């Protein structure tokens, strides 16, 4: 599961858990981006903080891991490189799934090396409330892409990192939107106090 994770929140965690159970996965690897190729926001929090918050949020789940692969890789991050590295380290008998937001799945077609990404992984698109799953499946069939896309329905997840950052700037509570150790880390490091 790739993302900026700025910060990680319960939306990400519930999605990962749903994917794990529904698709009988061995584990979910959270992959915070290093220097994101597509992120437009200039002031993304230091990768080390985003990595640490991901570790704090997932520590209690034995089926969740956090990878430093993209954080430690210099230059722009491309998902195809990450998937290749995962395939090389885990072997070709390991089936890879790329968990992402359902809306984001449709942007993936425009990615650098999109076809190669499709050869390496099956997509799992997490749908937010109100998402028309049948329409998405129909659109996928019509598009005749080589992309394999599965969907998971994620309950009650209007949570976003953007909202959490805005709340921090406005001095509003972020409790119960992200695990407590993440809240503590944000306060300790004084994250999200400035515009971002
Ligand atoms: P931002 O608001 O900064 O865009 P975000 O909350 O969307 O952050 P990302 O780090 O961009 O978080 O998301 C990582 C992945 O998780 C993306 O594929 C995104 O679509 C997905 N995602 C984010 N929030 C949710 C949610 N509440 N439910 C399901 N999937 C989510
Ligand atoms: Mg996002």
């Amino acid at each position: 599961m790739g993302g900026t994770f700025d910060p990680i929140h319960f939306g990400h965690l519930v999605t990962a858990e749903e994917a794990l159970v529904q698709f009988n996965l061995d584990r979910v690897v959270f992959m915070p981006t290093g220097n994101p190729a597509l992120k437009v926001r200039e002031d993304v929090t230091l990768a080390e903080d985003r990595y640490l918050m991901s570790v704090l949020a997932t520590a209690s789940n034995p089926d969740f891991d956090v990878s430093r692969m993209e954080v430690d890789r210099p230059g722009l991050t491309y998902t195809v490189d990450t998937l290749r590295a995962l395939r090389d380290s885990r072997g070709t008998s390991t089936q890879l799934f790329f968990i992402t937001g359902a809306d984001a799945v449709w942007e993936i077609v425009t990615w650098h090396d999109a076809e190669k990404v499709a050869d390496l992984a099956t997509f799992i698109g997490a749908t937010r409330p109100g998402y028309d799953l049948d329409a998405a499946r129909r659109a996928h069939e019509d598009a005749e892409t080589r992309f394999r896309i599965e969907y998971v329905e994620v309950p009650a997840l209007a949570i976003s990192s953007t909202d959490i950052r805005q709340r921090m700037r406005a001095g509003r509570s972020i409790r119960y939107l992200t695990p407590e150790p993440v809240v503590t880390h944000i306060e300790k490091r004084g994250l999200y106090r400035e515009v971002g």
Side-chain angles (χ1 to χ4, degrees):
M1 182 169 191
T4 320
F5 300 124
D6 191 13
I8 192 167
H9 53 69
F10 280 125
H12 301 129
L13 295 165
V14 172
T15 299
E17 181 69 10
E18 284 295 307
L20 188 89
V21 172
Q22 279 191 44
F23 296 97
N24 205 12
L25 311 181
D26 293 316
R27 50 208 319 102
V28 175
V29 181
F30 291 80
M31 184 75 66
T33 53
N35 186 9
L38 292 179
K39 199 75 177 185
V40 278
R41 207 155 51 82
E42 293 284 306
D43 52 345
V44 174
T45 304
L46 282 178
E48 205 59 42
D49 277 310
R50 294 184 288 105
Y51 168 78
L52 277 176
M53 291 190 283
S54 303
V55 170
L56 290 168
T58 55
S60 63
N61 190 328
D63 298 325
F64 288 177
D65 280 334
V66 185
S67 170
R68 292 191 60 90
M69 197 184 284
E70 293 194 357
V71 168
D72 290 339
R73 189 192 296 141
L76 293 182
T77 291
Y78 290 108
T79 297
V80 66
D81 298 327
T82 301
L83 290 171
R84 275 194 192 120
L86 283 173
R87 186 202 52 197
D88 292 347
S89 68
R90 304 197 182 217
T92 45
S93 62
T94 300
Q95 196 184 353
L96 296 176
F97 293 82
F98 187 88
I99 307 170
T100 185
D103 303 2
V105 165
W106 285 99
E107 292 165 23
I108 287 166
V109 185
T110 66
W111 280 1
H112 176 83
D113 282 340
E115 293 284 294
K116 288 173 192 145
V117 171
D119 288 338
L120 289 161
T122 301
F123 291 91
I124 299 179
T127 58
R128 301 195 193 212
Y131 198 81
D132 188 344
L133 216 67
D134 291 334
R137 290 204 179 97
R138 275 197 303 276
H140 180 211
E141 280 160 22
D142 293 348
E144 289 178 22
T145 65
R146 295 166 58 212
F147 291 78
R148 290 157 290 166
I149 307 177
E150 305 283 353
Y151 292 94
V152 280
E153 279 184 83
V154 179
L157 284 176
I159 301 173
S160 73
S161 303
T162 300
D163 179 56
I164 291 176
R165 295 193 300 271
Q166 283 169 353
R167 282 167 171 271
M168 283 304 297
R169 280 203 303 283
R172 288 162 63 208
S173 172
I174 61 164
R175 268 177 107 182
Y176 311 122
L177 296 175
T178 186
E180 228 165 273
V182 175
V183 178
T184 305
H185 184 85
I186 289 170
E187 284 165 356
K188 180 170 143 188
R189 295 271 293 125
L191 303 180
Y192 312 122
R193 285 194 190 143
E194 306 300 321
V195 175

